[in-house]
Amino acid sequence: AWMLGPGAECRGSVLLPVSLNGSPGFAQYRPSGSGGAHQPWSLTALEVVDGRITRLTAFLDTRLFAFFGLPATPPQAAVDESRAAVQS
């Protein structure tokens, strides 16, 4: 229900894999407006135990993107790959 309601605003997001203080995770860039540009939205750290994700921790402070050396917008190749995955 969440993905079809409030979470629908994240449709079309681009995710980049990152290492967050030694934990695997991803940077999420969410579409902004009708122009299709993507902007930083969240950093999510994954806690993995025995090969399973046991915890997700999302950080919504987009100033952290620069701290971890992430670009202000995702690379065009990542945007294209994300769009292709949605269409297939």
Side-chain angles (χ1 to χ4, degrees):
W2 185 86
M3 292 297 284
L4 295 174
E9 292 181 14
C10 291
R11 183 176 288 122
S13 288
V14 173
L15 304 178
L16 297 181
V18 295
S19 177
L20 302 170
N21 295 335
S23 295
F26 55 88
Q28 178 184 356
Y29 294 84
R30 196 169 93 158
S32 61
S34 59
H38 288 77
Q39 64 184 16
W41 178 251
S42 73
L43 292 174
T44 301
L46 307 176
E47 184 176 313
V48 180
V49 176
D50 296 329
R52 294 177 169 259
I53 297 171
T54 57
R55 178 178 297 174
L56 298 170
T57 305
F59 300 91
L60 299 178
D61 184 348
T62 58
R63 295 174 297 181
L64 294 172
F65 277 65
F67 181 79
F68 284 98
L70 294 163
T73 59
Q76 188 60 47
V79 174
D80 295 342
E81 184 178 321
S82 177
R83 287 182 181 146
V86 169
Q87 293 173 358
S88 60

